[in-house]
Amino acid sequence: KTTVMNQELIEGKVSLAPWGVPEVYGTTDYTLINPLTHHADVVDWKFGSGITVYAENNPQEMAYAAGAVGWPTTIKTITLHIFQPYLNHISTCDLTIAELYSWVHDVLTPAIYEATLGGKTLNPSPKACRWCQAKNHCEVRWAQVQQNTSDLFEAHAKLPNKISPDEIVEILKKAPLVETAIKDLKAFARAEIEQGKPMPGLKLVRGRANRQWVDESEVIKWLKTNSNIDELFVKKLKSPSKIENTEKALKKNEDFQALYRNPPGKTTLVFESDPRPAVSTTSNAIDVFSKTNSF
């Protein structure tokens, strides 16, 4: 009797060379390949707490998957997993090997050609420019920022009654590039001044800071002798997440889960391309009640 074992890849080096794309390579956090079900699970851990990352249409995850399963392959289906523990966020996405093949050859390969051998068209955006070392000196980026700024001022002149909802959405799509460009320029100027380089017209100043104890043990001794204060410390119950991190078994304890609730988060304005579901608005609620019988 032959036993077929699952294949595990932990912190494994992968490359898309078997797919004909040797320029793409990296290291996967964890991959589990099941030869019997012809299925692969590709897991990526994200330990940042600033940006929520989703598995669906994620180029990095799809590249990891292609490198992990190789080509040719007997794998037929793949599940991408993203875990962000600091955000308590999990995202998964299923795709077929045919969909992955199409992405590698119809999306990734042309993009690499465009970036290396083609016309090298620059398309500045907050996401594309985020890690670029030349973004503060990029003529194409600043030309786009200037155009977007001009569009914003033109839209402002039409407010509040002469601008359509479609125009508002298009203007809001242009705003992030201007916002991030200003933020990046401030960070660049700050770094220059911190390194002792002249930046006429700008300077660093000290903001307001909260007072701190020099030595807490000395503070306690002094207050006990020289004050009538009984309670020197404030105790607060830890959050559900912090308690679960300390006592892992509680994550699956139904009695403990009944002790807390998940309140709705604050609403955030995003574009329709965001994968999160839309929040029902007040107008929706009014419309629902208008369709019901009166009491």
Side-chain angles (χ1 to χ4, degrees):
K1 182 178 179 180
T2 302
T3 302
V4 180
M5 302 292 292
N6 290 340
Q7 300 171 12
E8 285 186 307
L9 192 64
I10 302 174
E11 292 290 332
K13 304 292 184 181
V14 297
S15 168
L16 268 66
W19 295 75
V21 192
E23 300 90 343
V24 180
Y25 54 90
T27 303
T28 62
D29 288 332
Y30 179 78
T31 302
L32 178 64
I33 297 176
N34 189 325
L36 291 178
T37 60
H38 305 285
H39 181 80
D41 289 279
V42 181
V43 179
D44 190 29
W45 289 88
K46 302 288 187 185
F47 291 100
S49 59
I51 298 177
T52 304
V53 182
Y54 296 89
E56 187 174 4
N57 297 321
N58 187 307
Q60 183 185 31
E61 285 301 289
M62 296 174 78
Y64 282 155
V69 303
W71 189 264
T73 181
T74 59
I75 295 300
K76 297 180 180 179
T77 58
I78 302 166
T79 300
L80 307 178
H81 307 261
I82 289 181
F83 294 93
Q84 287 184 277
Y86 293 142
L87 294 179
N88 196 25
H89 171 72
I90 299 174
S91 176
T92 62
C93 174
D94 296 318
L95 70 157
T96 65
I97 193 64
E99 291 172 330
L100 185 60
Y101 183 94
S102 176
W103 176 78
V104 169
H105 294 290
D106 297 338
V107 179
L108 180 61
T109 302
I112 292 175
Y113 176 83
E114 177 71 18
T116 56
L117 302 176
K120 296 184 180 180
T121 302
L122 300 180
N123 297 294
S125 71
K127 184 177 181 179
C129 301
R130 185 180 181 194
W131 305 113
C132 179
Q133 297 297 317
K135 60 186 176 183
N136 291 314
H137 307 287
C138 177
E139 294 182 2
V140 176
R141 186 193 190 210
W142 283 106
Q144 188 62 58
V145 169
Q146 185 176 12
Q147 180 60 54
N148 286 7
T149 304
S150 176
D151 293 341
L152 289 171
F153 279 111
E154 288 182 11
H156 180 268
K158 298 174 67 175
L159 288 172
N161 300 317
K162 296 182 180 179
I163 185 168
S164 68
D166 290 340
E167 289 177 307
I168 292 176
V169 173
E170 288 304 311
I171 291 302
L172 289 178
K173 288 181 180 179
K174 298 178 179 182
L177 182 63
V178 179
E179 294 169 349
T180 55
I182 295 174
K183 180 180 178 181
D184 292 339
L185 203 57
K186 284 184 176 179
F188 174 78
R190 179 187 182 91
E192 291 289 285
I193 295 176
E194 287 177 342
Q195 294 175 14
K197 298 180 181 179
M199 190 66 65
L202 294 174
K203 63 180 180 180
L204 294 180
V205 297
R206 294 287 182 186
R208 181 179 178 180
N210 294 326
R211 292 173 293 173
Q212 298 178 344
W213 300 120
V214 176
D215 187 328
E216 289 191 1
S217 61
E218 291 298 322
V219 173
I220 295 171
K221 293 177 183 178
W222 190 94
L223 288 174
K224 286 184 176 181
T225 304
N226 299 278
S227 76
N228 297 319
I229 300 175
D230 295 326
E231 296 293 332
L232 301 180
F233 299 90
V234 177
K235 294 183 179 180
K236 183 179 179 181
L237 184 64
K238 292 182 178 180
S239 67
S241 297
K242 290 184 178 179
I243 290 178
E244 286 180 344
N245 288 336
T246 304
E247 194 72 29
K248 305 293 185 183
L250 292 179
K251 291 185 177 182
K252 297 181 179 180
N253 188 301
E254 295 182 359
D255 292 334
F256 176 74
Q257 292 174 359
L259 298 174
Y260 63 82
R261 63 186 180 91
N262 290 317
K266 294 182 179 179
T267 57
T268 302
L269 186 66
V270 298
F271 296 111
E272 288 185 342
S273 58
D274 191 289
R276 289 171 290 183
V279 175
S280 296
T281 61
T282 304
S283 61
N284 295 140
I286 294 174
D287 183 61
V288 170
F289 282 109
S290 68
K291 296 178 182 178
T292 62
N293 295 326
S294 59
F295 291 98

